[in-house]
Amino acid sequence: MVVAVDDAYLVGAARDGDTDAFEELVRRHQDPMFRFALRMTGSRADAEEAAQDGFVDAWRSLAQYRGDASFRAWLARIVTRRCLDVVAARRPTVELPPVLEQPGGDVGARAEERDRLRALVEAILALPPDARAALVLREFQGLSYAEVAEALGASLPAVKGRIHRARLELAAMMEGWR
Amino acid sequence: MSPEPTILPCGTDPRTLVAQVFDGEPPDAERHAHQASCPHCRATLTSLRSLEQDVGRSAAERSAAPADFVRRVMARVRSADDALEVSSERHGATTVTEALVTRIARLAAMDVPHVTFALAELGTRGPAGLTVSLRLVVEYGVALHDVAAAVRRRVVHHVARNAGLPVGVIDVLVEELSG
């Protein structure tokens, strides 16, 4: 089903119980939410569980969505909560997301870049969960600082400070790769 | 929580450099001149710029959700955990989802003259039947209690007839008037 309507319309219909409308919302947002959960948890199985639980939570709490944040930011807030639960419930593991596949280029340089980017993924997973959530929402989900603050239920200055500190920590962790 | 970042030996708060690289906040003339000659600022800027590029490259990765992701989510959404049993007999049980009942109630309310918009929500299922809460937008100038009474009659009738479920309580909230 491809619908040329915006999220707000689908949310309205879904709130009235239209599961087809919600299905379209899941289809639209599944990839970014899965990617977000993957960067948060570092494991495909955990990411799938957290993202799925997040969508089901979203369905159940649609009545509380007032449309003042974008649907994506609202959804990100719910999925974040699930990811933080998953992360808190287990000891850190070292299962890594799949290696990035990018076409072309010199093989040696590609391999070096691939290793460096993998190290970056690991470094992000080594950040404290709160800082990781803020950083990943901003850098990889493209949320504005205000939307990140909304998603994490924190103030704008607090979120900005957290993200800036996380970037400095990452830069320090990546120092050996330059 | 991450530790407070260390102030650089030259006295610069490294967070201003982060904002400069990641948010494009340009340094003022004084800081600009300082950075041109300060090894600490320059080293930090170099390492932040390199991080910013790597973050950009990493963000280009587009892993997709597993192929059956939508199906799995929707199976749970449509699953029986919000199902209402209509009848149970020897040849099997009949159930309808809460979502469906909500929809019937809403559409029934919307069919009542002078109701311009309606939202329905289900509450608990008591001994007398379901509790339905309705929020209405009603035309300005009509008697609200008459409209509410008509809405109650119609919703009870339709939920009973279409979904086969008795309705015990209907709370009506007229939330807004339309012109």
Side-chain angles (χ1 to χ4, degrees):
Chain A
M1 180 172 76
V2 179
V3 190
V5 296
D6 60 13
D7 282 0
Y9 178 83
L10 292 169
V11 170
R15 201 157 31 190
D16 290 338
D18 186 337
T19 50
D20 290 342
F22 189 72
E23 180 165 347
E24 176 61 19
L25 287 168
V26 178
R27 201 180 306 286
R28 285 182 184 188
H29 294 278
Q30 59 171 336
D31 289 342
M33 287 305 134
F34 177 72
R35 282 197 287 270
F36 168 61
L38 193 54
R39 289 196 190 269
M40 280 300 291
T41 63
S43 136
R44 289 187 72 86
D46 285 346
E48 184 173 357
E49 186 190 320
Q52 267 189 31
D53 287 351
F55 275 108
V56 174
D57 290 347
W59 165 256
R60 294 195 175 128
S61 51
L62 267 179
Q64 276 127 54
Y65 173 60
R66 296 278 169 230
D68 36 13
S70 71
F71 179 68
R72 205 155 73 91
W74 182 77
L75 191 59
R77 174 181 199 147
I78 294 171
V79 175
T80 301
R81 221 156 23 214
R82 283 294 185 172
C83 288
L84 292 175
D85 287 349
V86 166
V87 170
R90 65 158 160 74
R91 306 193 68 75
T93 56
V94 203
E95 185 197 337
L96 290 174
V99 174
L100 319 182
E101 294 298 344
Q102 284 169 347
D106 167 50
V107 176
R110 308 282 329 162
E112 203 254 88
E113 178 175 313
R114 191 192 57 207
D115 290 347
R116 200 177 67 242
L117 294 184
R118 172 173 277 209
L120 176 63
V121 169
E122 279 185 76
I124 292 170
L125 284 168
L127 292 169
D130 282 357
R132 194 189 321 159
L135 179 104
V136 172
L137 288 171
R138 173 76 190 114
E139 295 292 0
F140 299 100
Q141 294 292 302
L143 264 58
S144 68
Y145 288 117
E147 284 176 320
V148 177
E150 166 67 27
L152 298 180
S155 75
L156 183 58
V159 154
K160 250 188 162 176
R162 203 186 290 177
I163 294 173
H164 283 0
R165 282 199 297 277
R167 286 164 172 157
L168 286 166
E169 277 187 66
L170 287 180
M173 285 191 264
M174 294 300 288
E175 203 56 43
W177 286 89
R178 290 205 330 275
Chain B
M1 188 51 65
S2 310
E4 282 297 307
T6 318
I7 302 298
L8 301 182
C10 61
T12 301
D13 184 334
R15 280 172 289 197
T16 62
L17 304 178
V18 176
Q20 183 177 329
V21 171
F22 281 86
D23 300 336
E25 286 175 18
D28 59 23
E30 193 188 333
R31 276 205 287 137
H32 186 76
H34 167 78
Q35 283 171 13
S37 62
C38 173
H40 309 292
C41 285
R42 291 173 68 138
T44 306
L45 283 170
T46 306
S47 112
L48 285 168
R49 285 192 187 111
S50 143
L51 174 68
E52 197 230 357
Q53 284 185 1
D54 280 346
V55 164
R57 289 192 191 101
S58 184
E61 186 209 3
R62 289 274 178 246
S63 1
D68 59 352
F69 188 89
V70 176
R71 191 184 57 73
R72 281 163 179 269
V73 170
M74 293 314 294
R76 287 173 61 187
V77 163
R78 296 191 173 106
S79 79
D81 69 355
D82 73 337
L84 296 164
E85 190 166 285
V86 175
S87 65
S88 181
E89 48 191 298
R90 211 153 53 82
H91 302 292
T94 305
T95 50
V96 293
T97 64
E98 279 188 20
L100 188 91
V101 176
T102 308
R103 202 169 165 76
I104 292 168
R106 171 175 184 258
L107 293 174
M110 296 266 288
D111 272 347
V112 172
H114 310 299
V115 173
T116 43
F117 191 71
L119 288 171
E121 226 175 306
L122 290 194
T124 50
R125 193 176 184 183
L130 292 169
T131 300
V132 181
S133 300
L134 292 164
R135 284 150 55 200
L136 306 179
V137 180
V138 176
E139 280 169 24
Y140 173 72
V142 299
L144 297 179
H145 54 273
D146 288 347
V147 174
V151 165
R152 281 201 177 85
R153 279 196 301 275
R154 200 175 179 95
V155 169
V156 169
H157 176 76
H158 277 271
V159 173
R161 217 185 89 181
N162 297 343
L165 289 165
V167 178
V169 178
I170 299 188
D171 294 320
V172 176
L173 172 67
V174 179
E175 222 172 23
E176 187 65 79
L177 296 174
S178 64

